[in-house]
């Protein structure tokens, strides 16, 4: 299961960041697992790797922060593990990327 999650919870409790990103989440599109990695007071967005072990990227955003996922950017390199979010009104765009040995041509 997500071995990094307990450490993330402790870090967020000590440092309540507005946005936290993770690479190599090792998550799958599994409702029970995704429920386990929910953080109270934060919404989350993940790009999970379902067919191969490992990988994946995600972001946690403090509740109340509006965001828009930029699928158009993600679609430019569909085999790359990346997630792009825009914070409207703040002219902010951020991404989290993971480049594994599976995708050496990127």
């Amino acid at each position: 299961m997500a071995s990094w999650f307990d450490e993330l919870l402790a870090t967020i409790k000590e440092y309540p960041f507005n946005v936290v990103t993770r690479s190599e989440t090792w998550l799958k599109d599994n409702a029970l697992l995704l429920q386990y990695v929910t953080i109270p007071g934060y919404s989350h967005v993940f790009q999970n790797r379902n067919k191969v072990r490992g990988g994946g990227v995600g972001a946690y955003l403090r509740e109340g922060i509006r965001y828009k996922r930029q699928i158009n950017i993600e679609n430019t390199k569909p085999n790359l593990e990346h997630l792009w979010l825009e914070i409207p009104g703040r002219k902010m765009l951020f991404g989290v990327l993971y480049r594994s040995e599976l995708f050496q041509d990127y």
Side-chain angles (χ1 to χ4, degrees):
M1 203 169 265
S3 62
W4 50 265
F5 188 69
D6 291 334
E7 184 178 335
L8 177 63
L9 280 176
T11 301
I12 287 177
K13 185 176 180 178
E14 186 171 347
Y15 307 102
F17 297 108
N18 288 328
V19 177
V20 176
T21 61
R22 295 286 311 189
S23 63
E24 214 170 354
T25 61
W26 286 58
L27 297 175
K28 305 283 184 219
D29 289 333
N30 175 314
L32 293 176
L33 177 60
L34 295 177
Q35 187 176 22
Y36 172 77
V37 296
T38 297
I39 299 176
Y42 286 81
S43 57
H44 61 264
V45 184
F46 297 111
Q47 175 82 312
N48 300 321
R49 186 192 289 181
N50 288 305
K51 296 180 181 174
V52 180
R53 189 172 180 234
V57 294
Y60 290 91
L61 298 100
R62 185 184 296 271
E63 281 183 0
I65 296 178
R66 293 183 315 115
Y67 65 91
K68 180 180 177 189
R69 187 162 176 185
Q70 294 296 319
I71 300 289
N72 57 326
I73 298 172
E74 296 171 23
N75 286 340
T76 62
K77 297 284 186 183
N79 291 329
L80 184 64
E81 294 177 58
H82 56 138
L83 176 69
W84 292 91
L85 301 173
E86 176 187 358
I87 309 292
R90 295 198 182 187
K91 297 183 181 180
M92 182 184 295
L93 174 69
F94 68 91
V96 56
L97 299 91
Y98 175 66
R99 181 180 176 262
S100 75
E101 67 275 356
L102 296 175
F103 305 110
Q104 289 296 320
D105 58 335
Y106 286 103

